[in-house]
Amino acid sequence: MPMREISVKEAENAVYQACGRIACVYSSDIYEALQKGRSQETAERAQAAMDILLKNAAIAEEKRIPICQDTGMVIVWLKVGQEVHFCDGLITDAINRGVERAYADHYLRASVVDDPVYERRNTRTNTPAVIHTEITAGDKVEIEIMAKGFGSENKSALKMLTPADGDAGIISFIRETAQNAGPNACPPYVIGVGIGGTFEQCAELSKKALLRHFDEPNADPRYAALEETLLKEVNSLHIGPQGFGGMTTALKVQVEYAPTHIAGMPVAVNMCCHVCRHAKEVI
């Protein structure tokens, strides 16, 4: 297969367009899940909270203003076909330029600081983005983008379980994590779960799980059944929309897994608010 040249400017523009869109517009599957959740609520306060979320979504899309004031830190998964040759600069620089332009032009809040402990000086560009890169077959570039707010990120957790803990241990840990999050991460939640791999890999898996469309359960029926069990467990907490009680503490729980060591079973839980902003572009 001949090498395909792609200008990094195409990637920059794809990131720019996606960042501007996801800040203001829900993906259709999440919006439909919110509507479904509203129809299931019977308590007055839960109904009112869901009505406010749906009204807020409509205003944000119509006026092209952010759904939430925390417009997130940008995470990018970059899948690059091995027959691709980037030209006109570095791909990582292009991605960060796309983020910077989008956050400036759409008046999105810049939330990134340059070091985590001492000066914590705002970079004023919402960069650098967190970029995960994977080499794949073919001559295309796939860019998946997420803007993750830290109200929910701060309530995420990772635990090094043992094989003896089994699925019961996983269920208990995820229920505990959701319980600890309470109303503070803006329920109803979308919860990503990563199981297996290593310490750092299961954390990334938990975030990648949030990217899957709601109509796509895990391809392995055992893990698909676990997703359903986890959703029921979390919703049985009755934290409800925005913490006002009710049936809809989570809209969805999605699991991704990877091979792991014989002695371990890492589990990560990435809490996400109901907005769950993400998009995919293919070049």
Side-chain angles (χ1 to χ4, degrees), residues 21 25 30 56 85 93 109-110 121 127 172 183 189 193 195 199 205 208 218 226 236 242-243 245 256 273 280 282-283:
R21 184 172 68 256
V25 181
I30 296 173
N56 181 71
H85 172 243
D93 290 346
R109 192 182 80 184
R121 183 176 56 234
T127 64
S172 176
Y189 298 125
V193 178
I195 305 173
F199 180 87
L205 284 171
K208 285 185 74 174
N218 194 291
L226 179 60
S236 72
Q242 299 298 284
E256 294 293 334
C273 70
K280 180 163 70 173
V282 179
I283 301 172

Side-chain angles (χ1 to χ4, degrees), residues 170-180 233-234 236-237:
I170 294 169
I171 293 166
S172 176
F173 174 51
I174 291 158
R175 180 185 171 92
E176 176 189 358
T177 303
Q179 179 76 71
N180 289 340
E233 283 289 324
V234 171
S236 72
L237 296 170

Side-chain angles (χ1 to χ4, degrees), residues 7-114:
S7 171
V8 297
K9 293 177 182 177
E10 290 191 55
E12 177 183 337
N13 288 331
V15 170
Y16 173 82
Q17 295 293 339
C19 284
R21 184 172 68 256
I22 65 177
C24 306
V25 181
Y26 277 89
S27 61
S28 59
D29 57 330
I30 296 173
Y31 188 77
E32 288 168 8
L34 276 176
Q35 291 178 310
K36 181 180 177 182
R38 167 62 179 86
S39 70
Q40 294 173 342
E41 293 295 351
T42 56
E44 185 177 344
R45 289 194 302 175
Q47 290 175 342
M50 292 294 268
D51 285 340
I52 290 170
L53 294 181
L54 290 165
K55 183 178 180 180
N56 181 71
I59 293 170
E61 183 169 0
E62 179 187 354
K63 296 184 178 295
R64 276 301 192 270
I65 55 178
I67 298 166
C68 174
Q69 51 84 25
D70 184 351
T71 49
M73 190 170 184
V74 177
I75 304 98
V76 176
W77 286 268
L78 186 67
K79 292 184 179 180
V80 182
Q82 65 179 3
E83 308 303 330
V84 168
H85 172 243
F86 287 118
C87 55
D88 299 323
L90 293 175
I91 183 63
T92 51
D93 290 346
I95 289 170
N96 282 314
R97 281 196 304 272
V99 173
E100 179 176 354
R101 287 174 50 215
Y103 275 69
D105 290 355
H106 296 281
Y107 304 101
L108 308 179
R109 192 182 80 184
S111 301
V112 176
V113 296
D114 60 1

Side-chain angles (χ1 to χ4, degrees), residues 209 212-228 252-256:
R212 200 185 333 135
H213 195 279
F214 278 12
D215 292 337
E216 300 173 9
N218 194 291
D220 186 317
R222 299 167 301 174
Y223 287 88
L226 179 60
E227 290 175 335
E228 289 298 320
K252 195 75 170 177
V253 180
Q254 310 208 116
V255 176
E256 294 293 334

Side-chain angles (χ1 to χ4, degrees), residues 106-138:
H106 296 281
Y107 304 101
L108 308 179
R109 192 182 80 184
S111 301
V112 176
V113 296
D114 60 1
D115 85 80
V117 179
Y118 299 108
E119 290 185 21
R120 293 185 63 87
R121 183 176 56 234
N122 196 301
T123 65
R124 300 184 182 277
T125 58
N126 215 57
T127 64
V130 177
I131 304 172
H132 303 280
T133 306
E134 179 183 349
I135 305 300
T136 61

